[in-house]
Amino acid sequence: MKRALVIGGNGTLGKAVVAKLRDYSVEVITAGRQSGDVQVDMTSTESITTLFETVRNIDYVIVAAGQTHYAKLEELTPENNMISVQGKLLGQVNIVLIGQHYINDKGVSRWSVASYKTTLLRKAHQVLWSMGPLIRLPKRQRLSCHEAFV
């Protein structure tokens, strides 16, 4: 049986991903800041490393999480914009960079990162997506980026 780690598995988008994976008989481990089977702080490389040290034998990693600050453009400040950069963009990149050393090497493993209904994060997500061809993942791993508006 394949195993998937869904970071943000208890959020709006994550719940839908978890349900679909279970429809395909994939064993799912959820991770979140304060909920899930295991906890992870995506802004902390130490927390990300601990996550992968704790959860082993993973075939798929899906990231449907990341802290962000929602506000009108005229209300944004550099400080609250950094919440999105640290929590979404860098958090997702660090999960791939750290996790690549832990994911199973049987067959083709998949990485999937997702953004959820925010146009500001779309730009950050496009940066991550554009890095996909530049990041050479080992063990026949693939990086996919998705945007969901639910």
Side-chain angles (χ1 to χ4, degrees):
M1 174 184 276
K2 295 291 186 180
R3 287 172 39 107
L5 172 63
V6 180
I7 301 169
N10 288 326
T12 303
L13 181 59
K15 285 180 184 176
V17 170
V18 167
K20 185 55 75 176
L21 288 170
R22 288 186 174 144
D23 286 347
Y24 289 105
S25 300
V26 174
E27 180 185 349
V28 177
I29 298 95
T30 60
R33 240 184 337 210
Q34 300 170 347
S35 63
D37 301 313
V38 291
Q39 278 68 58
V40 64
D41 175 0
M42 289 177 46
T43 65
S44 164
T45 56
E46 293 82 14
S47 181
I48 295 168
T49 300
T50 300
L51 170 70
F52 285 106
E53 288 286 334
T54 303
V55 180
R56 297 291 191 149
N57 195 26
I58 297 297
D59 300 293
Y60 306 100
V61 177
I62 296 97
V63 182
Q67 185 176 4
T68 189
H69 180 82
Y70 293 99
K72 294 180 182 177
L73 182 61
E74 60 271 11
E75 297 170 0
L76 279 176
T77 65
E79 293 78 19
N80 56 33
N81 184 53
M82 282 305 293
I83 294 170
S84 300
V85 171
Q86 291 287 341
K88 281 293 251 185
L89 178 63
L90 294 179
Q92 291 176 349
V93 169
N94 285 336
I95 284 169
V96 173
L97 294 177
I98 294 167
Q100 68 179 318
H101 304 292
Y102 296 91
I103 196 166
N104 285 343
D105 61 354
K106 303 171 195 150
V108 177
S109 297
R110 295 270 178 207
W111 291 90
S112 185
V113 294
S115 283
Y116 171 61
K117 71 172 186 180
T118 168
T119 54
L120 266 181
L121 290 177
R122 184 178 300 161
K123 287 296 180 193
H125 200 258
Q126 287 171 347
V127 170
L128 181 62
W129 180 83
S130 68
M131 289 176 65
L134 302 176
I135 300 172
R136 292 183 178 252
L137 294 170
K139 307 176 198 170
R140 297 175 54 202
Q141 296 177 25
R142 302 291 180 263
L143 173 64
S144 301
C145 298
H146 309 278
E147 194 162 7
F149 292 88
V150 294

